[in-house]
Amino acid sequence: PTSPGGRRSQWLVLAAAFLGWMFDGLEMGIFPVVARPALQELLGTQADQQVGPWMGFITALFLVGAACGGLVFGWLGDKLGRVRAMVASIVTYSAFTAACYSAGAAWQLGLFRLLAALGMGGEWALGVALVMECWPESKRPLLAGVIGAAANIGYALIGLVTWIIPVRPDSWRWVMLAG
């Protein structure tokens, strides 16, 4: 049996992983909402022939970054400890999402999205690993599902916010900063 202090730790780890995945979902949902207005401003055009390829390229960078982030931050978790590495991964995706606010060119937006995704991918791996390490084996499948569902709450949250406050070419930067 787990001590009361151990149960509190379990719940704190679960809450941290849940919130981390929720904000990862929000992070993943940001770019589809801001991509068109952001790239229209950064490229100085309304033309889909120029905006579309950049949207695809930046989305691909984000996916590559997330995969690499799981590897990099997973390795850091083994070297520095999972909690420290998870904190670093969250700071990474928060800082580089905020850095998108200052992007002056499409390539800069792509670079910041790639770096943000590194942190996000690290949080995916580390959050689940921490929960699986501190909860009993019988609870792990349910908790993995709960954590995974948290990303959908983040998607819904960014959808709700941008439904209430529509994103335009002159307002997309604030959405990235809020992310």
Side-chain angles (χ1 to χ4, degrees):
T2 306
S3 69
R7 280 193 289 271
R8 266 192 301 276
S9 297
Q10 288 175 322
W11 285 103
L12 285 172
V13 168
L14 180 59
F18 183 90
L19 289 171
W21 272 62
M22 184 187 78
F23 286 113
D24 287 345
L26 185 139
E27 170 68 27
M28 288 183 291
I30 283 178
F31 192 68
V33 173
V34 304
R36 185 169 307 286
L39 290 167
Q40 286 171 338
E41 180 201 334
L42 293 172
L43 296 170
T45 184
Q46 300 289 315
D48 282 340
Q49 298 88 336
Q50 292 174 343
V51 170
W54 275 103
M55 288 173 69
F57 179 67
I58 293 171
T59 300
L61 284 174
F62 189 80
L63 294 172
V64 168
C68 292
L71 295 171
V72 169
F73 282 98
W75 176 81
L76 280 175
D78 289 342
K79 298 294 179 198
L80 304 175
R82 296 200 203 298
V83 172
R84 284 188 181 119
M86 188 162 122
V87 168
S89 73
I90 291 169
V91 168
T92 298
Y93 82 70
S94 299
F96 285 107
T97 298
C100 290
Y101 176 91
S102 65
W107 72 266
Q108 291 172 343
L109 184 61
L111 177 64
F112 293 147
R113 294 295 294 157
L114 170 73
L115 296 171
L118 287 171
M120 191 191 68
E123 198 285 326
W124 284 349
L126 295 163
V128 171
L130 281 167
V131 170
M132 296 305 120
E133 288 174 353
C134 73
W135 279 83
E137 192 172 336
S138 63
K139 305 282 187 208
R140 293 175 186 169
L142 172 66
L143 296 177
V146 167
I147 294 167
N152 295 317
I153 294 170
Y155 268 112
L157 184 60
I158 193 65
L160 178 64
V161 167
T162 57
W163 178 62
I164 293 168
I165 307 166
V167 179
R168 300 177 320 273
D170 63 342
S171 67
W172 69 270
R173 292 177 186 277
W174 292 104
V175 177
M176 298 306 290
L177 189 61

